[in-house]
Amino acid sequence: MTKREKNFPRMAEVAKLAGVTVMTVSRALRSPAKVAPDTLKRIRAAIDKTGYVPNALAGALSAGGGGKTITALIPTVQHAIFADTITGLSAALRPEGYHLVLGETGYLSEEEDALVAAFLSRRPEGFLLTGVTRSPRTRDLLKRVGVPVVETWELTNTPIDMVVGYSNEKAAHEMTVWLAGRGYKRIAFVSGPSRTNERARRREIGYRRALKEQGLPVLKIFTIGAPAAPQVEDGAAILPEVLAEKPDAIFFTSDIYAVGAIQEARRRGIAVPKELGIAGFHDLAIATVIEPKLTTVHVPGREIGYIAGRNILARIRGEPAPQLSAIPFSIVARDSTK
Amino acid sequence: MTKREKNFPRMAEVAKLAGVTVMTVSRALRSPAKVAPDTLKRIRAAIDKTGYVPNALAGALSAGGGGKTITALIPTVQHAIFADTITGLSAALRPEGYHLVLGETGYLSEEEDALVAAFLSRRPEGFLLTGVTRSPRTRDLLKRVGVPVVETWELTNTPIDMVVGYSNEKAAHEMTVWLAGRGYKRIAFVSGPSRTNERARRREIGYRRALKEQGLPVLKIFTIGAPAAPQVEDGAAILPEVLAEKPDAIFFTSDIYAVGAIQEARRRGIAVPKELGIAGFHDLAIATVIEPKLTTVHVPGREIGYIAGRNILARIRGEPAPQLSAIPFSIVARDSTK
DNA sequence: CTGTTAGCGCTTTCAC
DNA sequence: GTGAAAGCGCTAACAG
């Protein structure tokens, strides 16, 4: 194989080839109207010939700012709901020519801290962050540098800058009340890793509040361990423990777990929803693939990303953008509950 | 709300505060061993006080290159298999301090062209591209500038630089032969949008070749339309048409379609696998959630990303890296085939 | 161990 | 319509 050397032509080479100075080439690129048509033609030809690609780093440095990138930090790309948010964000940014830079925190706060600092050094024009709880250090840093920041997937009255999401507490509360309304009396709750995931924590609060209001017993609360993307097997594995509490329904904080539990219930000959009701969270594609189809909370992943993108863009332009945008969730009743 | 102004402190401010020149601050950041412990302490304090975040753009410009970023272009983040590739790539890059910049092409070649040009202007140190067919313009550009490039998810003898993948033709061939081995005689093939997806095209070739070898009839080939991420409903919607061909088995180029078809078959009272065998491709989580569990081709998404990352890194360091890395796929026999 | 001098590749004035 | 000078924020190379 021939040796590959990096070889980015510079504007100067284009200029020489076209018989002008770099200044004219620069102008040809950013305000072609100000360049004589004939000159323009020669410059365009030279660009083609050399394979010139502008150096955005130099450009941004010189122009004092915007490389037109937005940074998004999500727990994992594996989870479909965050993927949705990314898709929504992309959709909002693309028409304006902004690029998306993605980081995965792995649900780890320390990793988020590291990534914020690292990405900040690239001077992005905006940030999308998942969740609303984070280290004071990162909060301060972000506040101080003054880039537009959107926190997502939860609500708060004290965002760093803006927040786009819904109330996880309310969502879990609503589902629990709904379950109670269907006649379930012993509703168990199985949460994802709540130490590292405030969404799970808020859902638990909503669940407890609903039970209290309804005068129902709070069963032992189960938490699935590892701070990682949820796995179907996790839901299957925890079912036996949960059954020891004699629940007539189980509310999982993720469809993924719920699906695993339904499968495990079938293996054990437990009829869903007849003997045991099961509810999930997120409304993933998998929810309608499992039999019986899963009752769940539909959550607005894509919209969150889109609105977040629009808000960041507005801020960049100096237009007003709402500090808090609440996006509605909804309960989707299907066949895994009576 | 108080007005937010961008306000990134510069190295000069840190230097002044610490009573040194910028050079010493720069050194304190990149080779602290060369700075007096006491000076270092003062500089660190000043950095903390000011909330200084290095400007990587300026740094890269000056140091003549590496912003330590790798760009990955995938069709969509929605598809779990590309998400796996991203996760694998991240895993390879993280330990070396490289960042991942992600672009979604939406399965569109023109979009890829635009993104390559746009991202190239940020001078990434490497590229991961999905698939091996692309516009000559983009090929030339990438070859010319000499950044490390890995093409993925297929094999070719003429990569731009390197390729990491498997043979989609072979994979489909193997599955088709396996199906024939189970006694299926009329094996239908349903493909994703092949105009924009060469993986689908190659799979079709493998399917045809296998049938020919086995002396089995090639049924009408069905293609699912839209160039977008596959949807479960697409598989359900196309089933009736496919059934008109009287197949005893259907091989879908994605588990997603296969799952939709299984559901539709159930609705129509068709027994799977008894009356109709169904096979998929990718081995997504959904494949073991559907009942009957799906026979499919397991494809090494995560490994592809990881190896691609390792290869790019090797190239960057000037170490040798293989031009072609073939990663094995495998047939996973489950319950949707007899 | 620390400072000085250049200069990365481009864009912003301000001239011509 | 085009060019010359200055500088974006940082680092490499050399001095001291």
Side-chain angles (χ1 to χ4, degrees):
Chain A
M1 228 205 95
T2 60
K3 186 123 180 280
R4 284 169 61 88
E5 295 278 2
K6 271 208 253 182
N7 167 230
F8 284 95
R10 269 154 293 165
M11 202 182 256
E13 302 177 30
V14 176
K16 207 169 103 197
L17 227 164
V20 292
T21 60
V22 290
M23 198 48 248
T24 307
V25 176
S26 174
R27 253 190 299 256
L29 255 21
R30 53 185 45 257
S31 31
K34 292 184 176 174
V35 174
D38 188 57
T39 316
L40 203 54
K41 210 177 296 172
R42 268 164 29 233
I43 292 176
R44 293 236 161 98
I47 287 176
D48 250 42
K49 181 121 191 283
T50 52
Y52 175 72
V53 182
N55 184 334
L57 281 68
L61 218 210
S62 177
K68 286 217 160 200
T69 57
I70 306 297
T71 296
L73 261 30
I74 59 174
T76 168
V77 287
Q78 294 294 332
H79 201 129
I81 59 163
F82 299 129
D84 279 346
T85 298
I86 294 307
T87 302
L89 181 61
S90 282
L93 301 183
R94 181 158 322 164
E96 313 270 345
Y98 278 79
H99 286 185
L100 177 59
V101 177
L102 190 69
E104 293 186 85
T105 64
Y107 289 94
L108 268 27
S109 174
E110 316 83 67
E111 185 66 17
E112 187 185 77
D113 292 349
L115 288 177
V116 165
F119 280 120
L120 224 32
S121 76
R122 308 264 151 76
R123 300 294 187 264
E125 303 199 50
F127 262 100
L128 180 147
L129 263 23
T130 309
V132 299
T133 30
R134 44 191 38 89
S135 77
R137 217 191 144 290
T138 291
R139 277 188 72 91
D140 289 352
L141 189 56
L142 253 10
K143 273 203 145 133
R144 173 170 225 162
V145 299
V147 238
V149 176
V150 183
E151 294 170 279
T152 59
W153 280 103
E154 182 49 90
L155 294 178
T156 174
N157 290 319
T158 54
I160 297 174
D161 180 16
M162 299 177 278
V163 60
V164 178
Y166 63 94
S167 165
N168 281 283
E169 180 188 331
K170 253 197 197 157
H173 176 268
E174 201 161 301
M175 174 58 95
T176 309
V177 169
W178 186 88
L179 253 14
R182 304 299 296 171
Y184 291 107
K185 301 288 182 209
R186 293 184 59 81
I187 305 170
F189 181 82
V190 179
S191 159
S194 59
R195 194 181 58 75
T196 55
N197 181 338
E198 105 257 31
R199 267 101 50 217
R201 223 152 40 222
R202 305 282 186 107
R203 287 171 206 156
E204 183 179 326
I205 294 171
Y207 157 79
R208 286 178 184 279
R209 183 161 60 82
L211 289 188
K212 197 167 174 190
E213 289 168 11
Q214 305 284 322
L216 296 178
V218 177
L219 308 196
K220 179 162 176 245
I221 293 208
F222 294 90
T223 298
I224 289 173
Q231 302 294 327
V232 172
E233 298 74 41
D234 297 334
I238 206 159
L239 186 69
E241 294 178 53
V242 184
L243 288 178
E245 295 289 304
K246 309 276 179 219
D248 54 6
I250 311 177
F251 177 17
F252 289 87
T253 60
S254 171
D255 288 353
I256 317 252
Y257 301 141
V259 161
I262 290 179
Q263 294 183 305
E264 182 62 23
R266 178 164 39 225
R267 273 176 228 126
R268 297 171 166 254
I270 300 169
V272 174
K274 213 164 167 211
E275 298 172 58
L276 181 68
I278 290 196
F281 206 101
H282 290 150
D283 196 19
L284 307 177
I286 214 175
T288 59
V289 167
I290 189 74
E291 205 56 50
K293 297 195 196 328
L294 189 64
T295 293
T296 188
V297 181
H298 176 85
V299 127
R302 200 173 184 296
E303 290 83 346
I304 288 177
Y306 188 78
I307 302 292
R310 304 290 314 168
N311 287 358
I312 292 175
L313 257 18
R315 262 273 192 297
I316 291 174
R317 291 197 215 91
E319 296 166 9
Q323 178 178 274
L324 186 147
S325 309
I327 316 286
F329 60 84
S330 59
I331 307 292
V332 184
R334 288 198 272 248
D335 313 326
S336 65
T337 50
K338 58 185 180 189
Chain B
M1 220 209 101
T2 61
K3 186 122 183 278
R4 285 169 61 86
E5 295 279 0
K6 270 209 253 182
N7 167 48
F8 284 96
R10 270 156 289 165
M11 203 181 256
E13 302 177 31
V14 176
K16 206 168 107 198
L17 227 165
V20 292
T21 60
V22 289
M23 199 52 243
T24 306
V25 176
S26 173
R27 254 190 300 256
L29 255 20
R30 51 185 44 257
S31 31
K34 293 183 176 174
V35 174
D38 188 58
T39 315
L40 204 54
K41 210 176 298 172
R42 268 164 29 233
I43 292 175
R44 293 235 161 99
I47 287 177
D48 250 42
K49 181 120 192 283
T50 52
Y52 175 72
V53 182
N55 186 332
L57 282 67
L61 219 211
S62 176
K68 287 219 159 198
T69 57
I70 306 297
T71 296
L73 262 30
I74 59 175
T76 168
V77 287
Q78 294 293 333
H79 202 128
I81 59 163
F82 299 129
D84 280 345
T85 299
I86 294 306
T87 301
L89 180 61
S90 281
L93 301 183
R94 181 157 322 164
E96 313 270 347
Y98 277 79
H99 286 187
L100 177 59
V101 177
L102 190 69
E104 293 185 85
T105 65
Y107 290 93
L108 268 25
S109 174
E110 316 82 69
E111 185 66 16
E112 188 184 77
D113 293 349
L115 287 177
V116 166
F119 281 119
L120 225 32
S121 76
R122 307 262 153 75
R123 301 294 187 262
E125 305 199 48
F127 261 101
L128 180 147
L129 264 23
T130 308
V132 299
T133 30
R134 46 191 36 90
S135 78
R137 217 192 144 288
T138 291
R139 277 188 72 90
D140 288 353
L141 189 56
L142 253 11
K143 274 204 145 133
R144 174 170 224 164
V145 298
V147 236
V149 176
V150 182
E151 294 170 279
T152 60
W153 281 103
E154 182 50 90
L155 295 177
T156 174
N157 291 320
T158 54
I160 295 175
D161 181 16
M162 300 177 279
V163 61
V164 177
Y166 63 94
S167 165
N168 281 285
E169 180 187 332
K170 253 196 196 158
H173 176 267
E174 203 163 295
M175 174 58 95
T176 309
V177 168
W178 185 88
L179 252 15
R182 305 297 299 170
Y184 291 107
K185 302 289 182 211
R186 295 184 58 81
I187 305 171
F189 182 82
V190 178
S191 159
S194 59
R195 192 181 59 74
T196 54
N197 181 338
E198 105 257 31
R199 269 102 50 218
R201 221 151 42 221
R202 304 280 186 107
R203 288 171 203 155
E204 183 179 325
I205 294 171
Y207 157 80
R208 287 178 184 280
R209 182 161 59 82
L211 289 187
K212 196 166 175 190
E213 287 169 13
Q214 305 285 322
L216 295 178
V218 177
L219 308 198
K220 177 160 177 247
I221 292 207
F222 294 89
T223 298
I224 289 174
Q231 305 294 327
V232 172
E233 298 74 44
D234 297 335
I238 207 160
L239 185 69
E241 293 178 53
V242 183
L243 288 177
E245 294 289 303
K246 309 276 178 220
D248 54 8
I250 312 177
F251 177 17
F252 289 87
T253 60
S254 171
D255 287 354
I256 317 252
Y257 300 141
V259 162
I262 289 179
Q263 294 185 304
E264 181 63 24
R266 178 165 38 224
R267 271 175 230 127
R268 294 170 168 255
I270 300 169
V272 175
K274 212 162 168 211
E275 298 172 58
L276 180 67
I278 291 196
F281 206 101
H282 290 150
D283 195 18
L284 306 178
I286 214 174
T288 60
V289 166
I290 188 75
E291 204 57 50
K293 297 195 195 330
L294 189 64
T295 292
T296 188
V297 181
H298 177 85
V299 128
R302 202 175 182 294
E303 291 82 347
I304 287 176
Y306 189 78
I307 302 292
R310 304 291 314 168
N311 287 358
I312 291 175
L313 257 17
R315 260 274 192 295
I316 290 174
R317 291 198 214 89
E319 297 166 9
Q323 178 178 276
L324 186 148
S325 309
I327 316 287
F329 60 84
S330 60
I331 306 292
V332 184
R334 288 198 273 247
D335 313 325
S336 64
T337 50
K338 57 186 181 189

